[in-house]
Amino acid sequence: MERSSSSSTKMVSAVVFSKDSFFKMAREDEAANLVLITNGGIRSKIVTTSTTNTITANDKLVPHDDHLTTTRNIPNIPGWFAEDCPIWPGEAHFLKVEKILFEGKSEYQSMMVFQSSAYGKVFVLDGALQLTEKDECAYQEMMTHLPLCSVPNPKKVLLIGGGDGGILREISRHSSVEHIDICEIDTMLINVYKEFFPQIAVGYEDSRVKLHVIDGTVFLKSVSGGTYDAIIVDAFDPIRPDHELHKTPFLELVAKALRPGGVLCIQAESLWFKSLDLQQLYSKYRQIFKGSTDYAWTIVPTYPSGVIGFLLCSKEGPNDVDFRNPINPIDPNGSYGVAKAPLKFYNSEVHSASFCLPSFLKGKGIN
Amino acid sequence: MERSSSSSTKMVSAVVFSKDSFFKMAREDEAANLVLITNGGIRSKIVTTSTTNTITANDKLVPHDDHLTTTRNIPNIPGWFAEDCPIWPGEAHFLKVEKILFEGKSEYQSMMVFQSSAYGKVFVLDGALQLTEKDECAYQEMMTHLPLCSVPNPKKVLLIGGGDGGILREISRHSSVEHIDICEIDTMLINVYKEFFPQIAVGYEDSRVKLHVIDGTVFLKSVSGGTYDAIIVDAFDPIRPDHELHKTPFLELVAKALRPGGVLCIQAESLWFKSLDLQQLYSKYRQIFKGSTDYAWTIVPTYPSGVIGFLLCSKEGPNDVDFRNPINPIDPNGSYGVAKAPLKFYNSEVHSASFCLPSFLKGKGIN
């Protein structure tokens, strides 16, 4: 399993796309220490790196139970679970645990599956809630169909992260799609989803899917220019300006891999969080992709603030992409693909509505 | 302070609209006992009533600290607050308490104001979160402008509940409005809001506002037919089919008080909760109001599931009301009225978008 490496001065490009909407990002800080950032928040582990700034698999991998030793910002309640999310301090959404169904550790991270009394089965990765059976539809369907319904006849799609299979399941509904690549580094995660969330992992059963157990950045470097109609980055972390995924080098790789007029969908922060700076994000994405850029959001009760956003952008092409008015409608009855069930959340009305922003965001001169 | 009373056989019409989007409902059950229902959940208190079914102020009033003796369904965390909401079991949204600013009891209920680290000041009523400074805009603005922007030149408006003043503040933005009646039974609540939430209670400063310290049902009985262009019921409890507020007698009083073509906006349950039965609600409201009926929703991170809904309906009139396409735009800059600040959440785009429903609700044959 290969990791990307870099010999640049400050930033070590160790973006590891691992599983089910999750990634780890190792970067070298000013003191040449490794800092591990996950969607469970920011956790630090001091690891002396070599002076050449070349990171090998061994020193990049922070033990998966590392988070257990860090200070918890929220209280523990026996029999209840809550994600400890230091970047949104002062609140915690607890779910009652009926039964823990699985606990395990892969080479990269710890996993837990539990039966909740309110949201069905829940998947937790290194302490961070990834998805629940009850509300995953709102995330997976929107993240997939917002980009795919905005372009005519998408044929080749790349998914980075999304190891649970839910986005694969949704891509599968599109009959125009001929090939789906997915980069997921943690095979154990895939297997856990297949065992406990078969209606989500069903996405892997689509014969058009090709799994690449490889770092997303490394994979992108190997891709011919202009390959994909759509790229979905399901890394499940809010957009922060200093994020590795939102750094120019990664985005330039994505832009190169897209065909002219191709589209990217990547998570963005909840509109409720002040750290969301749409102007800054739009500016950066427009500079790199040179097409249209827009922000949409959906409601997911078990995510912080109950809302999560998506940044959508298109690579400069013959026609501008108008994300707000889908041109590639999808059969709501789920008659195509492996889902074998109708859409639960997405429809064309919700698609367009998801771009409407509260006045406190419109006031920033966007939209 | 007057209470309504009834000598009907089963149901004692003791709906007490008290404060800031809150109400208590006392009803006589089969065994002639009093059951107190609040937005903090369902709590029972056995009180033997007189055989005549006439309830006096003394026996209707359940002590405000009654809830402290009931079993709590969620754990306590010192220094953190969470609403105990038995009708949505298995989850709890905790907010860190920086400082308790006020604790007190009125004749009717207990109140607490605390400074949270994440959502500004928070108002709690009998253990139930009423509003927070950070997200109240999404509720108050939508609940007000969804109905008022859907009718031409509203002149007379009735607010039942909403004692905090936030909806008054929003109604105040409409220059066409000539008179605003509000029924709020608990003057202490109003005073607490004025002290700790001046930017919300500012609504009372509008000279068009007339406060009636009286039960909403009693007030409605005194109103001439066809008086109001709009009635807003801010009772802050999800719609449940067995709710007093959604019983035919109360709704018939509302319908009578509306002019032909006048509109009602009343809270409805979050779209995430299975107990929301739009078909049943639509059917009942259409039967009574005979105009159009629709459901909208907004996002409020500190409410259960992060979403709350509104039921909108119009009384049969010369023209159908199309709630989805507002015909009475509002100045976004807040140049009129007492708010003295621009709208934070509402705009015409968000108005229309708020009626778009996920497929799992559209599948029920509604919309």
Side-chain angles (χ1 to χ4, degrees):
Chain A
M1 207 166 294
E2 196 178 354
R3 294 285 194 293
S4 65
S5 64
S6 165
S7 59
S8 64
T9 52
K10 290 280 173 56
M11 186 59 64
V12 181
S13 63
V15 178
V16 182
F17 296 100
S18 55
K19 86 179 46 190
D20 174 19
S21 53
F22 182 80
F23 73 97
K24 287 183 175 173
M25 179 168 62
R27 64 175 171 83
E28 192 182 33
D29 65 12
E30 300 286 337
N33 294 317
L34 269 186
V35 178
L36 180 69
I37 301 179
T38 78
N39 61 339
I42 298 171
R43 315 183 241 127
S44 297
K45 182 174 174 67
I46 306 304
V47 180
T48 304
T49 56
S50 67
T51 53
T52 64
N53 278 339
T54 300
I55 292 184
T56 66
N58 281 343
D59 62 8
K60 268 196 304 184
L61 291 176
V62 179
H64 44 240
D65 56 353
D66 169 68
H67 67 288
L68 299 175
T69 63
T70 57
T71 306
R72 199 167 148 85
N73 294 277
I74 58 171
N76 282 309
I77 306 178
W80 293 67
F81 166 83
E83 177 174 307
D84 185 10
C85 198
I87 58 171
W88 300 300
E91 61 183 310
H93 186 213
F94 279 87
L95 300 181
K96 193 171 186 186
V97 178
E98 293 295 320
K99 189 180 182 183
I100 293 177
L101 302 171
F102 176 82
E103 281 184 296
K105 294 172 180 176
S106 74
E107 189 183 357
Y108 310 106
Q109 50 212 348
S110 67
M111 299 169 211
M112 178 173 70
V113 178
F114 71 87
Q115 182 72 42
S116 71
S117 54
Y119 287 90
K121 285 198 278 257
V122 180
F123 190 98
V124 177
L125 198 67
D126 279 349
L129 186 146
Q130 299 296 295
L131 60 76
T132 82
E133 283 182 318
K134 180 172 175 177
D135 62 12
E136 58 97 14
C137 61
Y139 177 77
Q140 318 258 32
E141 292 184 17
M142 293 298 277
M143 187 160 212
T144 306
H145 305 306
L146 285 176
L148 293 191
C149 292
S150 296
V151 290
N153 297 309
K155 289 179 181 167
K156 290 201 79 176
V157 183
L158 169 62
L159 171 60
I160 294 176
D164 56 274
I167 290 177
L168 296 178
R169 176 193 68 199
E170 295 307 316
I171 298 171
S172 168
R173 296 185 192 272
H174 289 264
S175 59
S176 67
V177 169
E178 295 168 358
H179 187 83
I180 308 166
D181 285 313
I182 171 174
C183 298
E184 169 52 59
I185 208 159
D186 196 337
T187 50
M188 179 174 158
L189 175 138
I190 297 172
N191 292 331
V192 172
Y193 270 110
K194 284 183 176 174
E195 182 171 349
F196 292 99
F197 300 87
Q199 291 177 330
I200 297 173
V202 68
Y204 286 102
E205 292 178 14
D206 191 307
S207 61
R208 294 167 293 179
V209 170
K210 185 169 183 190
L211 170 63
H212 305 267
V213 183
I214 190 172
D215 171 290
T217 303
V218 174
F219 183 80
L220 280 170
K221 285 177 178 169
S222 74
V223 165
S224 302
T227 298
Y228 295 103
D229 298 279
I231 297 177
I232 299 173
V233 181
D234 180 22
F236 195 74
D237 214 352
I239 281 179
R240 285 171 293 170
D242 62 345
H243 249 215
E244 189 66 17
L245 285 181
H246 302 283
K247 293 280 185 192
T248 302
F250 173 76
L251 296 176
E252 284 179 342
L253 284 174
V254 171
K256 177 173 164 284
L258 283 175
R259 66 160 172 81
V263 290
L264 165 68
C265 182
I266 185 169
Q267 293 95 336
E269 197 157 292
S270 164
L271 55 82
W272 283 110
F273 294 113
K274 282 186 180 167
S275 45
L276 177 67
D277 187 335
L278 286 182
Q279 278 181 310
Q280 187 182 8
L281 284 171
Y282 280 17
S283 170
K284 166 165 242 168
Y285 278 75
R286 278 190 184 128
Q287 197 176 2
I288 294 168
F289 290 88
K290 301 183 173 62
S292 48
T293 305
D294 219 331
Y295 173 87
W297 54 278
T298 190
I299 45 173
V300 184
T302 54
Y303 287 172
S305 86
V307 167
I308 191 147
F310 306 109
L311 198 73
L312 290 129
C313 70
S314 67
K315 183 174 172 179
E316 189 177 22
N319 301 306
D320 262 2
V321 175
D322 175 8
F323 288 108
R324 299 180 176 218
N325 294 298
I327 56 166
N328 181 31
I330 186 168
D331 173 14
N333 299 317
S335 57
Y336 196 88
V338 296
K340 298 187 184 72
L343 288 161
K344 289 182 183 169
F345 195 91
Y346 178 90
N347 54 62
S348 296
E349 272 187 17
V350 166
H351 180 125
S352 295
S354 70
F355 292 91
C356 296
L357 299 182
S359 298
F360 63 76
L361 276 175
K362 287 175 76 81
K364 291 185 178 176
I366 303 158
N367 292 87
Chain B
M1 209 166 293
E2 194 179 356
R3 294 285 194 293
S4 64
S5 64
S6 165
S7 59
S8 64
T9 51
K10 290 280 174 53
M11 185 61 63
V12 181
S13 62
V15 179
V16 182
F17 296 99
S18 54
K19 89 177 43 191
D20 175 16
S21 52
F22 182 80
F23 72 99
K24 288 183 175 173
M25 178 170 60
R27 64 175 171 83
E28 193 183 30
D29 64 14
E30 300 285 337
N33 294 317
L34 267 186
V35 178
L36 179 69
I37 300 179
T38 80
N39 62 338
I42 297 170
R43 316 183 242 127
S44 298
K45 182 173 174 67
I46 306 304
V47 180
T48 304
T49 55
S50 68
T51 53
T52 65
N53 278 339
T54 301
I55 292 184
T56 67
N58 282 342
D59 60 8
K60 267 196 304 185
L61 290 176
V62 179
H64 44 242
D65 55 353
D66 169 69
H67 68 287
L68 298 175
T69 63
T70 57
T71 306
R72 198 167 148 87
N73 293 277
I74 57 171
N76 282 308
I77 305 177
W80 292 68
F81 166 82
E83 176 175 307
D84 185 9
C85 197
I87 59 170
W88 300 299
E91 61 182 310
H93 186 214
F94 279 87
L95 300 182
K96 194 172 186 184
V97 178
E98 293 295 322
K99 189 179 182 183
I100 293 177
L101 302 171
F102 176 81
E103 280 184 296
K105 294 173 181 177
S106 74
E107 190 182 356
Y108 310 107
Q109 49 212 348
S110 67
M111 299 168 210
M112 178 173 70
V113 178
F114 70 88
Q115 182 72 42
S116 72
S117 54
Y119 287 89
K121 285 199 277 262
V122 180
F123 190 98
V124 178
L125 196 68
D126 279 348
L129 186 146
Q130 300 296 295
L131 60 74
T132 82
E133 284 183 318
K134 179 171 175 178
D135 61 12
E136 57 97 14
C137 61
Y139 177 77
Q140 319 258 32
E141 293 184 17
M142 293 297 277
M143 186 159 212
T144 307
H145 306 306
L146 286 177
L148 293 190
C149 292
S150 297
V151 290
N153 298 308
K155 290 180 180 166
K156 290 201 77 175
V157 183
L158 169 62
L159 171 60
I160 294 176
D164 56 275
I167 290 176
L168 295 178
R169 175 193 70 199
E170 295 307 315
I171 298 170
S172 168
R173 297 184 191 273
H174 290 264
S175 58
S176 67
V177 170
E178 296 168 357
H179 187 83
I180 308 166
D181 285 313
I182 170 172
C183 297
E184 168 53 58
I185 208 158
D186 195 338
T187 50
M188 178 173 159
L189 175 138
I190 297 171
N191 292 331
V192 173
Y193 271 110
K194 283 182 175 174
E195 182 170 350
F196 293 98
F197 301 87
Q199 291 175 331
I200 297 173
V202 68
Y204 286 101
E205 293 177 14
D206 192 307
S207 62
R208 296 167 292 180
V209 170
K210 184 167 184 193
L211 170 64
H212 305 267
V213 182
I214 191 172
D215 171 291
T217 302
V218 174
F219 183 81
L220 280 171
K221 285 178 179 169
S222 74
V223 165
S224 302
T227 297
Y228 295 103
D229 298 279
I231 297 178
I232 299 173
V233 181
D234 181 22
F236 195 74
D237 214 353
I239 280 179
R240 285 171 293 169
D242 62 345
H243 248 214
E244 188 67 16
L245 284 180
H246 301 284
K247 294 277 185 193
T248 303
F250 174 77
L251 295 176
E252 283 178 343
L253 285 173
V254 172
K256 177 174 165 283
L258 283 175
R259 68 159 172 80
V263 290
L264 165 68
C265 181
I266 184 168
Q267 294 96 334
E269 196 156 291
S270 163
L271 55 82
W272 283 110
F273 294 114
K274 282 186 180 169
S275 45
L276 177 67
D277 187 334
L278 286 182
Q279 278 180 309
Q280 187 182 6
L281 285 170
Y282 281 17
S283 170
K284 167 166 242 167
Y285 278 75
R286 278 189 186 131
Q287 197 176 1
I288 293 168
F289 291 87
K290 299 183 173 64
S292 48
T293 305
D294 219 332
Y295 173 87
W297 56 276
T298 190
I299 46 173
V300 184
T302 54
Y303 287 172
S305 86
V307 167
I308 192 149
F310 307 109
L311 198 74
L312 290 130
C313 69
S314 67
K315 184 175 172 178
E316 189 177 22
N319 301 305
D320 262 1
V321 175
D322 175 8
F323 288 108
R324 299 180 175 217
N325 294 297
I327 56 167
N328 181 31
I330 186 167
D331 174 13
N333 299 318
S335 57
Y336 196 87
V338 296
K340 297 186 184 72
L343 288 162
K344 288 181 183 169
F345 195 91
Y346 177 90
N347 55 62
S348 296
E349 270 188 19
V350 166
H351 180 125
S352 296
S354 71
F355 292 91
C356 296
L357 299 182
S359 298
F360 63 75
L361 276 175
K362 288 173 77 79
K364 292 185 180 177
I366 303 159
N367 291 90

